[in-house]
Amino acid sequence: MRSSIRDAAPRPIDSILVAELTAHEKTRLDELGATHPVLTELGARFDGAGHEIALVGGPVRDALLGRPVTDLDFTTSASPDEIERIVKGWADTTWDVGRAFGTIGVRKGTETLEITTYRADEYDPQSRKPVVAFGTNLNDDLARRDFTVNAMAVRLPGLEFVDVHGGLDDLADRTLRTPIGPDISFGDDPLRMMRAARFVGQLGFIAAPDVTEAMVAMADRIQIVSAERVRDELNKLLLSDHPVLGLRVLVDTGLAERVLPELPALQLERDEHHRHKDVYEHSLTVLEQAIALEHRLEERPDLTIRLAALLHDIGKPRTRRFTGDGTVTFHHHDVVGAKLARKRMRALRYPNEITDDVAMLVELHLRFHGYGTGEWTDSAVRRYVRDAGDQLERLHILTRADSTTRNQRKALRLQRTYDELEQRIGQLAAQEELQSIRPDLDGNRIMEVLDIGPGREVGEAYRFLLDLRMDRGPLPEEQAIEALRAWWAAR
């Protein structure tokens, strides 16, 4: 067993190098160097220029865990201007990732690198942005990182391993600790509290007791962080392998109350069937089931379906009503939920496109329940497809995931019924190209038949013909013209 250095006196960097690694861990770092030859090439250039440079953070952690290492992050004693001079002639491309924050981006072959001057960031209590302070050595830089498992480094070009905060111990224990006191660390950058939740979902780690206590005590501090940074961290959590684990951390520590209050609000509500502990648990189950169905999508993980699954019932607290016999109803929670989802996503600065898609899925997630045992006409099926538009496959996933009943007979019945609906959609699509349904007459033909110019009446006629197409399917042009003239005369 590796001896712990967590409680030992501070040690100089040079005393904690490769010897601290097991043979297996050393092999993984050797493989990292062999897989990414840019490490030794870059290290040689900085060493030749008289500067230190080290691979740091996530890439080191992931290499030791045997996870894929993609983007490479480095820290260096060189300033941004010096970084650019050192890589000139070697890098294919350089760009400013954030010069004010000391970071220069580099492209070398297929590798994307970020090289940052030693940092020592702090937050102004009244500011939404960190106050940048450049550091002078690797030890100080590592102390300012979020968690010990991200505060390990590999110095270049010699691939010397550096761990002054017990990151290896915590990696083995799958525990999140901070290099310095969590109250100081989270005070410097409150977003680290959300990052802790993300690593719980992403890596399956647990937060140390003092980390959790600090998150509870300092939850209000997250409100000084910009909405964009909160959104980006929430996205990383949602796109992790096990987002439910991280979401529970956000709720249990009170962070969700500050950044996504609609989620903890669901804990107060019983669902209408009394089959779940509360709507909160139901929503987390729907999220997990939606993730299990993502294989139906071309690209995954999929942020849109995960947001829709998580938020699909957030309208229930606003619409809860008790009937005379003691049962609970949530009438129109789909429509109310769509409005709340749109409002929250706008507050978090989500792009309009994803906001619109999520809100529409929330609004449509109950539509299927009007299908009964197949009573819908072909017209109703066409409208279902038309209303879903390019979100139809996601709506299929959300609707199926929303079935969390423990009654196996009922669950199988719902599954078979939705199978039938999808089969009918497929049959109609093969006949009519449902995704691109248009009226039988276009706008120009409408104006010609009715002998009118552009204006509101053309739009009304277009909508009449579209509804006609929904009800009766495609018509020969002569019948469409006859119906249009009859409608026009009846106006």
Side-chain angles (χ1 to χ4, degrees):
M1 178 180 294
R2 181 186 296 112
S3 61
S4 174
I5 65 168
R6 188 177 299 121
D7 300 320
R11 301 168 66 179
I13 286 178
D14 287 340
S15 68
I16 307 174
L17 300 177
V18 179
E20 293 289 331
L21 293 168
T22 65
H24 186 57
E25 292 162 342
K26 175 64 166 62
T27 298
R28 283 184 168 171
L29 288 189
D30 288 342
E31 290 173 351
L32 176 66
T35 306
H36 300 276
V38 294
L39 298 183
T40 51
E41 294 175 16
L42 189 65
R45 293 188 73 89
F46 275 76
D47 186 56
H51 280 288
E52 299 174 356
I53 188 168
L55 183 70
V56 70
V60 179
R61 178 201 68 221
D62 288 342
L64 291 169
L65 287 173
R67 290 166 54 91
V69 174
T70 51
D71 295 342
L72 301 174
D73 297 325
F74 301 85
T75 187
T76 179
S77 59
S79 68
D81 289 341
E82 290 169 329
I83 293 170
E84 287 183 318
R85 285 197 296 269
I86 293 170
V87 301
K88 185 177 181 180
W90 174 80
D92 297 329
T93 309
T94 63
W95 65 93
D96 283 352
V97 175
R99 182 180 293 272
F101 295 92
T103 302
I104 299 296
V106 174
R107 166 87 53 187
K108 176 65 175 178
T110 60
E111 301 276 22
T112 299
L113 326 174
E114 287 192 4
I115 308 174
T116 304
T117 305
Y118 290 150
R119 294 270 293 272
D121 295 350
E122 294 183 359
Y123 253 77
D124 184 293
Q126 307 304 320
S127 173
R128 288 180 175 268
K129 296 181 180 180
V131 177
V132 178
F134 293 138
T136 59
N137 61 77
L138 178 58
N139 205 348
D140 290 347
D141 182 272
L142 296 179
R144 283 298 182 184
R145 296 191 174 264
D146 51 9
F147 301 103
T148 60
V149 294
N150 295 328
M152 300 178 289
V154 175
R155 292 204 303 190
L156 307 174
L159 296 180
E160 298 168 329
F161 179 68
V162 179
D163 177 20
V164 294
H165 300 288
L168 273 174
D169 293 335
D170 292 332
L171 202 64
D173 295 339
R174 307 188 76 79
T175 300
L176 295 172
R177 300 182 190 275
T178 52
I180 55 179
D183 54 334
I184 300 173
S185 182
F186 297 156
D188 285 349
D189 186 352
L191 192 67
R192 290 170 175 169
M193 294 185 287
M194 286 192 66
R195 205 170 293 153
R198 189 240 297 184
F199 287 133
V200 169
Q202 191 176 67
L203 302 174
F205 285 15
I206 61 171
D210 64 333
V211 169
T212 300
E213 291 169 7
M215 292 168 69
V216 172
M218 302 179 68
D220 278 339
R221 182 87 168 139
I222 195 68
Q223 294 176 108
I224 75 163
V225 180
S226 69
E228 292 82 359
R229 295 186 75 215
V230 168
R231 174 204 63 208
D232 291 347
E233 197 58 51
L234 179 61
N235 288 349
K236 291 175 183 178
L237 167 57
L238 287 172
L239 293 173
S240 68
D241 289 343
H242 303 287
V244 167
L245 298 178
L247 290 168
R248 290 189 187 280
V249 172
L250 291 183
V251 172
D252 293 346
T253 58
L255 284 164
E257 185 66 39
R258 279 76 174 180
V259 300
L260 193 63
E262 295 79 6
L263 181 59
L266 296 176
Q267 289 180 308
L268 304 178
E269 311 304 326
R270 294 281 179 178
D271 85 319
E272 62 267 40
H273 304 298
H274 298 278
R275 293 288 190 258
H276 308 282
K277 179 181 178 181
D278 49 38
V279 179
Y280 168 70
E281 292 294 337
H282 165 73
S283 297
L284 296 183
T285 300
V286 172
L287 173 57
E288 290 179 325
Q289 294 186 167
I291 292 171
L293 293 170
E294 280 185 339
H295 61 84
R296 297 174 57 129
L297 301 173
E298 290 184 8
E299 296 184 11
R300 49 192 182 272
D302 186 86
L303 182 62
T304 300
I305 190 59
R306 295 187 182 202
L307 279 165
L310 182 65
L311 302 178
H312 78 284
D313 271 350
I314 61 173
K316 284 189 171 180
R318 293 278 185 93
T319 59
R320 181 177 62 164
R321 298 293 184 272
F322 294 96
T323 62
D325 61 2
T327 58
V328 183
T329 64
F330 302 98
H331 296 310
H332 307 300
H333 76 266
D334 47 347
V335 177
V336 173
K339 293 178 180 178
L340 292 175
R342 189 180 298 278
K343 182 178 179 181
R344 177 54 52 195
M345 292 181 69
R346 284 175 174 168
L348 290 172
R349 306 290 193 270
Y350 274 93
N352 290 336
E353 182 178 2
I354 190 172
T355 299
D356 292 342
D357 290 344
V358 170
M360 183 178 70
L361 289 167
V362 172
E363 186 167 355
L364 293 179
H365 83 273
L366 288 182
R367 181 77 65 87
F368 161 71
H369 294 285
Y371 187 74
T373 56
E375 290 84 359
W376 278 4
T377 62
D378 285 352
S379 171
V381 175
R382 292 188 190 100
R383 292 177 191 279
Y384 187 77
V385 174
R386 184 188 68 178
D387 290 347
D390 62 2
Q391 298 303 304
L392 181 62
E393 192 59 53
R394 289 191 177 105
L395 182 58
H396 289 333
I397 291 174
L398 178 59
T399 302
R400 288 181 179 276
D402 195 26
S403 174
T404 60
T405 177
R406 294 192 180 100
N407 184 321
Q408 288 299 311
R409 182 177 298 177
K410 181 179 179 181
L412 287 172
R413 184 175 69 250
L414 287 170
Q415 180 178 318
R416 284 195 300 267
T417 304
Y418 205 86
D419 287 343
E420 178 192 332
L421 174 58
E422 284 201 62
Q423 184 178 11
R424 288 184 66 188
I425 289 172
Q427 291 170 345
L428 286 171
Q431 298 167 12
E432 308 176 22
E433 297 184 3
L434 275 179
Q435 294 286 6
S436 56
I437 285 182
R438 297 291 184 273
D440 295 298
L441 305 176
D442 64 16
N444 290 329
R445 191 77 175 100
I446 290 170
M447 289 188 288
E448 181 182 336
V449 169
L450 299 180
D451 193 25
I452 59 175
R456 177 173 54 83
E457 291 86 356
V458 177
E460 292 176 358
Y462 186 94
R463 286 189 290 276
F464 162 74
L465 289 172
L466 183 59
D467 287 340
L468 188 67
R469 175 72 182 273
M470 291 290 109
D471 291 335
R472 297 170 57 183
L475 297 174
E477 183 178 15
E478 296 78 8
Q479 292 184 28
I481 290 173
E482 181 182 353
L484 176 61
R485 284 174 172 161
W487 169 80
W488 182 254
R491 290 177 75 249

